Amino acid sequence: MLQKFYPDEYLDSTYVIDFEELYQKGFRGVIFDIDNTLVPHGAPADERAVALFDLLKKIGFSCCLISNNQLPRVEMFNREIQVKFIENAHKPSKKNYLRAMELMGTDTTNTVFVGDQLFTDVYGANRAGIHSILVKPIHPKEEIQIVLKRYLEKIVLFFYKRQRKKQNDR
């Protein structure tokens, strides 16, 4: 039952993902969550985020941001990045994951999603059939509803890690 929340990969940070390797594996589109995936909650794009998107464009990726935040927040972040975006995405609904792939000209076979929350980001990507990468949140300061979800995420991650360990021990 919990498997629907399991990511395909779980990494320390967006900034340790080997995007060149993903491109070599055939991925062509990357969908990102913003807050606590790319920058701390509410922050504008910083130098690290700008450099990442410059690299992704240079490699040849199409990128799209999907956020449950409203337009002013997403536009503020995207000002320095300049990629496609969808605000008020209603994650984990798969509708806007599919729309993001349309905007990028990709499909479920060549798109990867990167986010920091299991119950919205990863679950939505899994529902849409997209390769999902969960990253650890950048900053511990979060809205109260997210803090409460983090307790439940710890339980799911416990079972996820246990399953991965069993698979690796085989």
Side-chain angles (χ1 to χ4, degrees):
M1 181 180 110
L2 295 177
Q3 287 84 353
K4 62 186 172 188
F5 300 110
Y6 290 179
D8 293 305
E9 299 179 58
Y10 182 34
L11 301 171
D12 286 336
S13 166
T14 299
Y15 299 99
V16 301
I17 297 171
D18 187 340
F19 287 101
E20 290 182 359
E21 181 182 320
L22 288 174
Y23 196 85
Q24 289 171 1
K25 288 181 177 179
F27 290 100
R28 295 298 180 262
V30 187
I31 302 171
F32 287 98
D33 174 54
I34 299 171
D35 287 328
N36 260 343
T37 298
L38 293 165
V39 293
H41 186 82
D46 56 18
E47 287 180 22
R48 189 165 66 158
V50 171
L52 173 64
F53 282 90
D54 286 345
L55 173 67
L56 291 169
K57 290 172 187 176
K58 184 176 144 197
I59 292 170
F61 277 108
S62 292
C63 299
C64 188
L65 308 169
I66 76 170
S67 175
N68 285 346
N69 282 301
Q70 300 303 309
L71 184 61
R73 164 67 184 128
V74 180
E75 280 183 331
M76 183 261 287
F77 177 82
N78 195 45
R79 197 168 293 130
E80 299 296 321
I81 302 295
Q82 293 298 303
V83 295
K84 294 167 177 47
F85 67 86
I86 300 169
E87 79 283 353
N88 196 23
H90 301 286
K91 295 180 288 181
S93 170
K94 68 181 184 177
K95 175 184 170 189
N96 284 309
Y97 291 83
L98 300 174
R99 187 164 155 242
M101 288 185 282
E102 274 181 42
L103 291 172
M104 294 187 300
T106 61
D107 60 41
T108 57
T109 65
N110 63 3
T111 303
V112 62
F113 176 83
V114 181
D116 70 299
Q117 293 187 55
L118 285 177
F119 301 126
T120 52
D121 296 333
V122 170
Y123 181 45
N126 290 348
R127 291 179 71 210
I130 303 170
H131 185 87
S132 59
I133 300 176
L134 177 69
V135 295
K136 293 178 182 172
I138 288 175
H139 195 276
K141 183 178 180 258
E142 297 183 295
E143 296 171 340
I144 186 66
Q145 71 270 18
I146 296 171
V147 171
L148 297 173
K149 283 193 278 187
R150 294 287 185 204
Y151 289 108
L152 296 173
E153 283 185 354
K154 285 179 184 175
I155 295 166
V156 175
L157 285 171
F158 169 82
F159 289 105
Y160 167 79
K161 289 173 185 175
R162 191 166 82 176
Q163 179 186 18
R164 287 289 162 133
K165 185 175 179 344
K166 282 181 188 175
Q167 289 171 344
N168 291 335
D169 289 347
R170 288 183 193 159

